[in-house]
Amino acid sequence: MKRNNSLMNRLLMLLVFLFLYAPIFLLIIFSFNAGNSNMIWKGFSLDWYAKLFHNRLIMESVYTTLLVSLLATVIATIAGTFASIGFYAMRRRIRTPLMTVNNIPMMNADIVTGVSMCLLFVAFFNGWENFSVWFNSLGLFQLPTRLTMGFGTLLIAHITFNIPYVILAIGPKLRQMDKHLVDAAMDLGCTWMQAFRKVILPEIKPGIVSGALTAFTMSIDDFVISYFTAGSGSSTLAMTIYGMTKKRVTPEINAISTLLFVTVLLLLAVINIREARQERAALRRK
Amino acid sequence: MSRELIRLRDVCMAFDDELVLDHLNLYFNDKEFLTLLGPSGCGKTTTLRIIGGFATPTSGDVLFDGVRINDVPPYKRQINTVFQKYALFPHLNVFENIAFGLRMQKRPDPKDPTGKKMVKIPEDEIRERVMEMLEVVSLKGFEHRKPDALSGGQQQRVAIARALVNKPKVLLLDEPLAALDLKLRKDMQIELKRIQQQVGITFIYVTHDQEEALTMSDTIVVMDKGSIQQIGTPEDIYNEPKNAFVADFIGESNIIDGIMLQDKLVQMYGKTFPCLDGGFAPNEPVDVVIRPEDIDIVPVEQGQLIGTVTTVTFKGMQYDIIVDFKGFKWLIQTTDHCPEGSRIGIKIDPDGIHIMKKSQYSGMFGDYSSFSEEYDELDDASLSLDEEESGDEA
């Protein structure tokens, strides 16, 4: 009876995983299809992958995605690191509500974040137009009057949604740190900045790296917020894929999606392995 | 006595309208071992942080060698600190931990005639001084270990070496032995005193452990509720406590209501006892302190007072017995065995009686009705430490 039960359990689990991953497996398998169908298998080939690298539209959006993700990660990591130190120094009564505010954007529906940022940019550009027309009439020097959404707004949006993840990753590291370490460093002749560099940074480095990796993954991965903030000028990979599906789903899309899936999977694996290792190290220290 | 080094003048400290230090006036002499002693939340750690430069007083002045240093940051003070949980840098080994302060230092270049050019301390001098320090704290051969590969006592020594290697004029120690077990704590008390005499600088030591304070200090400052209760040598504080709080906090005390009939004559329980104190108004109500070891047990017919033994605890060297005198319970330490329930007489020599003026603490301490509970509290010393920490943060 018991054996039977565990067999049932396993079967059920298999079904669940099949249900979850079957679409992705299908997508990956057909990315290696020799024919251009997503239903009829015509033999193995890497043609679609080769074709990818000759598609300028895709290559450009890969470049945009990598650039925006890298820049957003670097900026968000620096900003998030200092922000978490600020949070850490706050009194609990102020910190707790502010941390909740910090966490809301992560829970918030992407579409709401995307639309609201889009509205904000448009409103700002309108205001800017009025201001620059007035300023140019002064005749000092000429400001551009028309701003449009593009790489700049895309980057700002990515930085914005990345910062909370960085703060979330660094916070625990700071709280684990002996709170007298900074005092000790300053006692031994460090200014605050020196203490930060020589003592805090080495202590919270694992948190910073985890935060940066998470931020990078989120950036690579994002579609909805990018869609509303990139304007017509630039396009991320996810946006390009979406654009291509409007015509017809070719195995080329399978191929690029497979690559995207593998990249994010690898990043997530790295993040998880690091976390497991740190937990073990923390246990050993105790 | 030696020269004054640090003075706190009318220092007040408030967190969120809560007064933590209440008009503190205190000076520290050069080369002395001074202990700030008090229960958690009495303001002793705050006082230390003000001297170290980690906290700025709400009002009042901090003077170092006669110069006001309220706004001087910690890294510019000739003061180093040994922190409560050592605060060793986990990513650096023992050598680098101790060398940390030296690597931060800059001093005038001896080769530069103008004396304006600042240079770092050369590597061979750093090595020499760190090694010398490792010897002082008996940790030679440990220089390549990481802090988490050291025992509590060893970490403690590294923390002391890390502070002392900078040749400060004052070393601040914030409950440095609190995390060690009893045996190690006793060894380190003697070790600390030896180090202080060897390097010959001022140690300002914060603790809530009265025994630690009595063992090591030249001067003890007893604090409670942000105010100084008494300043004196360990002998003064123990033998001549100023009020019921000090008497209770330092050692064990029976504190009884009395009336000072005249100089050298006090009345308790309606009976008169000769004593050595004077200078009170006739018939002034006073607190009478009698230490448990100063009470002699005598046959009932010879006793100045007669009471009933309610509890007997064997302590190895002596028995702690609780004796009921008309509802007020005394602690008496004796080598004689008195069975529970027996009636005994006691005799107190005049030099065993200490008279104190009435204070805000009168009536709060000195009754041993809740004897066992009090012992439980003593066992929970580490608990009260944590409380103080969370108090700091708030």
Side-chain angles (χ1 to χ4, degrees), chain A residues 20 43-44 46 64-65 69-70 86 88 101 104 108 127 144-145 147 167 171 176 184 195 203 222 229 247 268 278:
Chain A
L20 281 175
F44 180 86
L46 288 171
T64 309
T65 305
S69 302
L70 277 174
Y88 172 69
V101 172
I104 288 171
N108 196 10
T145 54
L147 297 177
I167 293 177
Q176 281 165 25
E203 279 296 288
D222 176 70
T229 53
K247 283 173 249 159
L268 283 176
Q278 278 162 33

Side-chain angles (χ1 to χ4, degrees), chain A residues 91-93 95 178-192 194 198-199 202-203 285, chain B residues 16 49 54 74-75 79-81 83 85-91 100-101 104 148 162-163 166 389 392-393:
Chain A
R91 297 189 183 167
R92 198 169 301 153
R93 230 178 318 153
R95 183 173 64 208
D178 182 343
K179 69 187 165 110
H180 289 306
L181 281 187
V182 180
D183 283 349
M186 289 179 73
D187 188 65
L188 294 166
C190 287
T191 60
W192 191 88
Q194 285 171 321
K198 284 173 184 280
V199 177
E203 279 296 288
R285 213 183 256 197
Chain B
D16 291 337
R49 289 179 66 79
F54 305 108
Y75 54 88
I79 298 171
N80 284 113
T81 310
F83 292 90
K85 284 177 189 143
Y86 325 130
L88 298 179
F89 305 127
H91 62 291
F100 192 94
M104 295 309 303
D148 57 4
R162 184 179 68 174
N166 304 290
E389 269 193 297
D392 281 350
E393 198 182 32

Side-chain angles (χ1 to χ4, degrees), chain B residues 155-358:
Chain B
Q155 290 183 27
Q156 178 61 65
R157 288 158 195 266
V158 176
I160 293 165
R162 184 179 68 174
L164 285 179
V165 78
N166 304 290
K167 299 190 174 150
K169 288 208 171 140
V170 180
L171 186 70
L172 308 179
L173 302 106
D174 185 5
E175 307 239 13
L177 308 183
L180 304 181
D181 61 53
L182 186 66
K183 174 87 176 59
L184 201 53
R185 204 150 68 208
K186 301 242 181 211
D187 293 345
M188 279 305 288
Q189 287 173 10
I190 297 161
E191 184 79 0
L192 270 175
K193 185 74 191 166
R194 176 187 70 75
I195 292 171
Q196 191 253 344
Q197 278 157 357
Q198 188 179 340
V199 295
I201 60 167
T202 310
F203 274 35
I204 303 176
Y205 191 96
V206 159
T207 184
H208 65 273
D209 183 335
Q210 43 107 359
E211 192 221 313
E212 224 167 85
L214 293 173
T215 311
M216 293 189 287
S217 320
D218 299 319
T219 308
I220 296 178
V221 177
V222 185
M223 293 178 70
D224 185 49
K225 296 178 187 157
S227 305
I228 294 170
Q229 302 300 329
Q230 189 169 358
I231 305 177
T233 63
E235 287 87 351
D236 286 348
I237 301 260
Y238 189 84
N239 294 331
E240 313 272 319
K242 263 198 184 136
N243 59 35
F245 175 81
V246 179
D248 180 74
F249 199 76
I250 315 286
E252 298 291 342
S253 311
N254 302 295
I255 303 170
I256 301 108
D257 281 329
I259 293 165
M260 205 64 188
L261 298 174
Q262 61 183 68
D263 278 0
K264 303 190 178 181
L265 209 59
V266 66
Q267 187 187 57
M268 291 181 282
Y269 290 97
K271 293 198 171 133
T272 54
F273 291 80
C275 61
L276 303 176
D277 300 81
F280 295 87
N283 295 323
E284 182 179 336
V286 290
D287 287 333
V288 182
V289 181
I290 300 161
R291 296 288 186 188
E293 69 271 21
D294 291 337
I295 302 167
D296 294 326
I297 294 180
V298 293
V300 173
E301 54 274 16
Q302 291 168 29
Q304 288 168 303
L305 288 171
I306 295 153
T308 314
V309 178
T310 61
T311 319
V312 180
T313 318
F314 179 59
K315 286 285 174 183
M317 247 172 65
Q318 89 274 350
Y319 295 97
D320 279 4
I321 62 174
I322 304 293
V323 183
D324 189 331
F325 292 101
K326 297 182 182 167
F328 195 92
K329 304 234 165 113
W330 292 36
L331 171 67
I332 300 175
Q333 288 169 346
T334 173
T335 49
D336 308 326
H337 179 70
C338 310
E340 271 177 38
S342 65
R343 289 184 59 78
I344 57 165
I346 57 161
K347 212 167 134 315
I348 309 154
D349 288 337
D351 65 0
I353 295 176
H354 172 66
I355 311 290
M356 305 181 302
K357 279 198 183 292
K358 285 276 177 192

Side-chain angles (χ1 to χ4, degrees), chain A residues 123-243:
Chain A
F124 174 77
F125 291 159
N126 275 334
W128 175 262
E129 195 170 335
N130 292 336
F131 170 76
S132 57
V133 165
W134 168 80
F135 186 86
N136 288 348
S137 71
L138 296 176
L140 289 168
F141 54 90
Q142 297 292 304
L143 289 172
T145 54
R146 280 201 62 81
L147 297 177
T148 50
M149 290 205 281
F151 187 81
T153 49
L154 184 66
L155 181 61
I156 292 172
H158 275 238
I159 293 169
T160 313
F161 76 72
N162 277 340
I163 287 178
Y165 292 100
V166 178
I167 293 177
L168 205 68
I170 296 177
K173 291 280 158 242
L174 278 169
R175 260 170 276 133
Q176 281 165 25
M177 189 177 80
D178 182 343
K179 69 187 165 110
H180 289 306
L181 281 187
V182 180
D183 283 349
M186 289 179 73
D187 188 65
L188 294 166
C190 287
T191 60
W192 191 88
M193 252 340 257
Q194 285 171 321
F196 171 74
R197 218 178 55 231
K198 284 173 184 280
V199 177
I200 302 181
L201 216 50
E203 279 296 288
I204 62 171
K205 204 164 70 192
I208 296 177
V209 175
S210 296
L213 279 172
T214 315
F216 189 72
T217 314
M218 290 297 157
S219 267
I220 292 262
D221 206 35
D222 176 70
F223 167 69
V224 179
I225 297 172
S226 302
Y227 186 76
F228 283 99
T229 53
S232 53
S234 37
S235 171
T236 65
L237 186 56
M239 287 164 68
T240 307
I241 294 173
Y242 176 71

